[in-house]
Amino acid sequence: DPQAITTARENLSRQDVNDVDLLTSDLADYSPTVPPRIVVANILAPVLLQHRERILSWFSEQTRDGHLVLSGILHEQYPAIHTAFTELGAVETARRSIDEWTSGLYVVPA
């Protein structure tokens, strides 16, 4: 969602953070040019489930203990997301719920 990039850029600017690459892409086609240290995915639960292996594959030995933020997930869908990502080795380190939404922070061990 291009609007998400605009909002994220505004929020980062308020914090004087200007060296972050933000982009939109079709998840099915995206592959990072360098392994990321952090991935923030505010995507619908079915899409996260479908592409969980692809998302986790972006992390590598070079990004030892990379961080993955899965956000904007409806409360009732979060348990399935949590199970799917932890079964592949991601370790949840924090969880936050606001209104009907839940987000989780995961470490992805190398």
Side-chain angles (χ1 to χ4, degrees):
D1 179 359
Q3 181 58 43
I5 296 295
T6 301
T7 301
R9 196 168 279 124
E10 290 168 359
N11 290 333
L12 288 167
S13 180
R14 285 189 199 107
Q15 301 300 318
D16 292 322
V17 176
N18 300 303
D19 60 346
V20 175
D21 293 329
L22 302 171
L23 58 98
T24 58
S25 179
D26 185 326
L27 185 57
D29 299 328
Y30 178 72
S31 245
T33 55
V34 295
R37 292 179 305 173
I38 185 167
V39 171
V40 179
N42 187 348
I43 305 172
L44 296 172
V47 177
L48 287 172
L49 291 172
Q50 178 182 356
H51 295 285
R52 64 189 177 272
E53 290 177 356
R54 171 183 272 286
I55 293 167
L56 292 175
S57 76
W58 297 339
F59 297 94
S60 73
E61 290 291 327
Q62 299 164 351
T63 56
R64 185 173 185 88
D65 296 332
H67 289 82
L68 173 64
V69 178
L70 302 175
S71 63
I73 302 162
L74 292 169
H75 290 315
E76 61 270 10
Q77 295 174 331
Y78 191 82
I81 295 295
H82 174 75
T83 298
F85 279 84
T86 57
E87 284 178 347
L88 294 176
V91 178
E92 185 183 60
T93 60
R95 184 184 299 189
R96 184 169 183 187
S97 295
I98 300 174
D99 299 324
E100 70 268 19
W101 306 102
T102 298
S103 299
L105 171 62
Y106 293 80
V107 171
V108 182

